[in-house]
Amino acid sequence: MTSRSVRLVMFVPVVVTLLTAAAVGAAIVVQDHRETARMARADEVAEAFLSDVGMFRGDVARVIARAREAEPAELRRVLASAVADPPELGEPPAGAERSETYASATATARTFLAPYRRLDRQLRRADVALTFVGAAREALETRATDYVGFGPIGDSAAVRTRLVPAFVEARDDFADVRVPKGQRALAATVREALQYVIDRAGALADSIEVGRSYSFSYTQEFTAAADAVDDYATTVEGDLAEALNAVTASG
């Protein structure tokens, strides 16, 4: 083999190696370009979703703000209609696993409906609770003087035919109202305050009929019951206001 042949044999592997290296480099560049394009597409999908969520939040906030003073049941219907068609992120496109924007969109997709679900729960609770509160307050507004007047009572008939039936009716009407979850003790407090008057009024009528002096006051019982009802109402209204604010703040 001549020296020229030796040089040629040695040169050929080098050329092949260089060509192979160049081909691998080109493949890496193409692959990197594809990954970049996929990630850009995932970013676009995520950004479009996040934009839709922002618009959705604003639209819902304005609707709820306009209806804020409605009764809980009506406001709940308004909310259900407003959030009936929320944005959806859909299946992740290729490249999503490398996109920070898509990761943010995924996190948003999991949580952005939470304030509306919370508001729905609070409205459902308030619908029952505030009806209960209204009924309790109405029952506790019953006054003995509306039926027997002020001052000494000399006729037991007025007590038995007007005063007692009025408080019995107030007690029974309140008993027909749905008691909110966890508020059986409060309901019992209201009923017991009404029953206290019924029992004492019966004793008063008995005393009148035998000519014995008798008097009673129910201020303490009614005040304690009314304060407990007010405390419960304040809690319910506060929780509802907080849930409403969380939704309307986006408007």
Side-chain angles (χ1 to χ4, degrees):
M1 181 179 293
T2 65
S3 60
R4 180 179 179 183
S5 298
V6 172
R7 287 196 299 272
L8 181 59
V9 170
M10 294 176 61
F11 180 71
V12 169
V14 173
V15 172
V16 171
T17 301
L18 290 175
L19 289 175
T20 302
V24 171
I28 291 173
V29 170
V30 170
Q31 181 65 23
D32 186 62
H33 177 73
R34 287 175 179 170
E35 288 297 324
T36 300
R38 288 172 179 170
M39 190 167 67
R41 173 56 184 157
D43 286 346
E44 289 176 4
V45 171
E47 288 166 1
F49 171 75
L50 292 172
S51 176
D52 288 345
V53 169
M55 294 179 63
F56 176 81
R57 284 170 170 161
D59 291 344
V60 174
R62 286 186 287 275
V63 169
I64 297 303
R66 288 195 296 268
R68 184 170 184 141
E69 300 306 317
E71 292 297 319
E74 174 60 24
L75 186 51
R76 194 178 177 208
R77 286 190 288 270
V78 171
L79 174 65
S81 176
V83 302
D85 188 23
E88 294 183 3
L89 183 56
E91 293 298 320
E97 68 280 359
R98 297 180 60 189
S99 168
E100 292 184 5
T101 305
Y102 197 88
S104 176
T106 300
T108 297
R110 287 195 298 265
T111 61
F112 82 100
L113 291 176
Y116 311 116
R117 291 169 181 153
R118 179 190 175 200
L119 177 56
D120 181 73
R121 289 194 300 271
Q122 292 300 331
L123 287 168
R124 184 172 65 246
R125 175 196 182 201
D127 187 27
V128 175
L130 298 183
T131 298
F132 171 83
V133 166
R137 286 172 171 165
E138 182 178 355
L140 293 171
E141 286 172 358
T142 309
R143 296 290 180 266
T145 52
D146 292 340
Y147 303 97
V148 294
F150 293 90
I153 303 170
D155 181 9
S156 65
V159 177
R160 294 193 188 279
T161 62
R162 294 200 296 271
L163 191 155
V164 171
F167 279 82
V168 168
E169 182 179 4
R171 180 200 63 193
D172 293 347
D173 286 348
F174 176 69
D176 289 337
V177 176
R178 179 180 173 185
V179 178
K181 183 179 180 180
Q183 299 306 315
R184 293 190 180 280
L186 177 56
T189 297
V190 175
R191 288 195 305 270
E192 288 165 5
L194 295 164
Q195 188 63 47
Y196 177 85
V197 177
I198 295 167
D199 294 342
R200 294 300 180 274
L204 173 62
D206 291 342
S207 296
I208 293 172
E209 290 167 357
V210 298
R212 186 174 64 243
S213 177
Y214 184 85
S215 65
F216 72 94
S217 170
Y218 56 89
T219 300
Q220 181 177 342
E221 289 73 17
F222 268 45
T223 298
D227 287 347
V229 170
D230 288 346
D231 288 345
Y232 175 59
T234 297
T235 298
V236 171
E237 290 166 352
D239 290 345
L240 177 56
E242 186 176 324
L244 279 165
N245 290 340
V247 168
T248 57
S250 301

